[in-house]
């Protein structure tokens, strides 16, 4: 054996991708049951494969499914849509579709007649409406978790403007759950 081989031994032969995949399936046989998810990813989100990405930010910016884009394109190609607050045919079509969507959401959640469906641009927009519309006053008390999205913390500003008191409940340092003792005291 040469001195060079002693210092830099020949690396082991690299396994093929097929062999590695087979080894993986042997180690994790339950993975085979996810084929439906693999197919869904391939059919509905081909942009992930094209860009070689894994996408996990579904709380803020969901990916669009290919079938939804096709359906929406067909809707746009075959219709004219206007401001739903007007009475012309294009506006009436917009109103009809918005009302159908609201009814579908309410039916999906088995909501009774006392519920309304309001579409907002995002969670921050919805929380802003809550903050603006909630009847805070000087007898109100707003209790918040210390660990909130900034949009939730924004409700505090609406409460303060209307004279409401507010307080934060801290998290337990170890579990990262709400501190139960502090929560009970704050309630």
């Amino acid at each position: 054996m040469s001195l060079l081989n002693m210092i830099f031994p020949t690396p082991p032969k690299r396994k093929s991708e097929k062999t590695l995949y087979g080894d993986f399936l042997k180690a994790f046989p339950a993975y085979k049951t996810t084929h439906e998810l693999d197919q869904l990813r391939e059919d509905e989100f081909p942009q992930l494969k094209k860009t070689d990405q894994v996408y996990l930010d579904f709380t803020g910016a969901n990916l669009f499914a290919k079938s939804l884009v096709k359906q929406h394109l067909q809707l746009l190609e075959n219709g004219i849509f206007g401001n739903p607050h007007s009475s012309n045919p294009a506006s009436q079509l917009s109103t009809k579709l918005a009302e159908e969507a609201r009814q579908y959401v309410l039916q999906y959640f088995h909501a009774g007649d006392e519920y309304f469906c309001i579409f907002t641009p995002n969670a921050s927009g919805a929380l802003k409406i809550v903050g603006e519309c909630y009847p805070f006053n000087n007898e109100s008390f707003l209790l918040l978790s210390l660990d909130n999205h900034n949009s939730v913390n924004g409700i505090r500003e609406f409460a303060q403007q209307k004279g409401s008191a507010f307080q934060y409940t801290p998290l337990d340092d170890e579990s990262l759950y709400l501190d139960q003792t502090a929560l009970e005291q704050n309630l």
Side-chain angles (χ1 to χ4, degrees):
M1 178 179 276
S2 73
L3 181 60
L4 190 60
N5 282 344
M6 289 174 62
I7 297 171
F8 300 106
T10 305
K13 190 171 182 178
R14 186 177 159 106
K15 291 183 177 182
S16 72
E17 197 172 301
K18 187 175 181 179
T19 302
L20 288 170
Y21 184 67
D23 292 347
F24 176 82
L25 290 178
K26 285 178 191 169
F28 303 98
Y31 181 76
K32 289 180 182 180
T33 64
T34 67
H35 71 278
E36 289 180 15
L37 293 175
D38 297 334
Q39 192 63 51
L40 177 71
R41 183 181 195 270
E42 188 175 319
D43 293 345
E44 293 292 347
F45 305 100
Q47 65 272 38
L48 292 172
K49 189 171 186 175
K50 287 178 189 173
T51 59
D52 195 28
Q53 291 187 47
V54 174
Y55 187 81
L56 301 174
D57 187 21
F58 287 93
T59 58
N62 291 331
L63 294 178
F64 51 86
K66 186 176 178 179
S67 63
L68 292 178
V69 172
K70 286 181 175 181
Q71 288 176 12
H72 193 71
L73 178 61
Q74 186 177 16
L75 180 70
L76 293 174
E77 287 178 335
N78 295 306
I80 298 172
F81 304 95
N83 185 336
H85 304 291
S86 297
S87 60
N88 61 63
S91 296
Q92 289 176 351
L93 181 57
S94 295
T95 300
K96 177 182 177 282
L97 291 174
E99 288 305 318
E100 285 176 3
R102 280 188 180 92
Q103 285 304 313
Y104 181 86
V105 169
L106 292 169
Q107 288 172 359
Y108 181 85
F109 287 106
H110 305 289
D113 292 338
E114 70 274 17
Y115 289 95
F116 296 92
C117 176
I118 300 171
F119 294 118
T120 63
N122 50 36
S124 296
L127 289 164
K128 184 174 186 264
I129 290 172
V130 169
E132 290 172 339
C133 296
Y134 193 83
F136 291 112
N137 60 47
N138 59 0
E139 295 179 14
S140 301
F141 179 74
L142 175 63
L143 182 59
L144 299 161
S145 164
L146 188 61
D147 184 27
N148 279 318
H149 186 276
N150 202 37
S151 298
V152 175
N153 292 327
I155 294 176
R156 170 198 64 216
E157 297 302 315
F158 293 106
Q160 265 188 309
Q161 288 172 6
K162 295 178 183 176
S164 177
F166 71 91
Q167 188 168 350
Y168 285 96
T169 297
L171 301 179
D172 177 77
D173 291 337
E174 289 183 27
S175 70
L176 298 180
Y177 288 118
L178 286 174
D179 181 322
Q180 290 298 307
T181 304
L183 177 61
E184 289 174 19
Q185 288 173 351
N186 291 340
L187 289 172

